Amino acid sequence: MQLDPTETQPMVNRLKRAHGQLAGVLRMLEEGRECEDIVMQLSAVSKAVDRAGFGLVALGLRQCIAEEGEAPELAKLERLFMSLA
């Protein structure tokens, strides 16, 4: 199943922000910043990536259900969803 690129744009934007945040975490480590600050930023990156993953799975489920005449690959989508846990 291919996802509609116009539907995935919010996930792309979220991942681009996470990419920038991760670059910031690397800079913080190289500069020897406070551990607490680094962990907070790393947590934000992790949440952004998780939300993008959940968004993609949800989009896949919506598209599967919306496509009439095709049986949704629920087992495959379930495995993808569980891989994010």
Side-chain angles (χ1 to χ4, degrees), residues 14-26:
R14 186 179 300 275
L15 290 171
K16 285 182 179 180
R17 277 193 306 273
H19 184 263
Q21 288 174 312
L22 186 56
V25 169
L26 289 169

Side-chain angles (χ1 to χ4, degrees), residues 1-2 6 13 16 24 41 43 45 54-55 57-58 64 69 84:
M1 162 186 51
Q2 288 188 323
T6 59
N13 293 342
K16 285 182 179 180
Q41 283 301 312
S43 174
V45 172
F54 288 128
V57 171
C64 276
L84 295 171

Side-chain angles (χ1 to χ4, degrees), residues 62-75:
R62 280 198 319 267
Q63 286 188 358
C64 276
I65 292 168
E67 291 175 2
E68 293 184 33
E70 287 188 32
E73 298 177 45
L74 294 179

Side-chain angles (χ1 to χ4, degrees), residues 1 3 8 11 15 51-61 77:
M1 162 186 51
L3 299 173
T8 60
M11 279 70 80
L15 290 171
R51 287 179 180 243
F54 288 128
L56 286 170
V57 171
L59 176 60
L61 282 170
L77 288 168

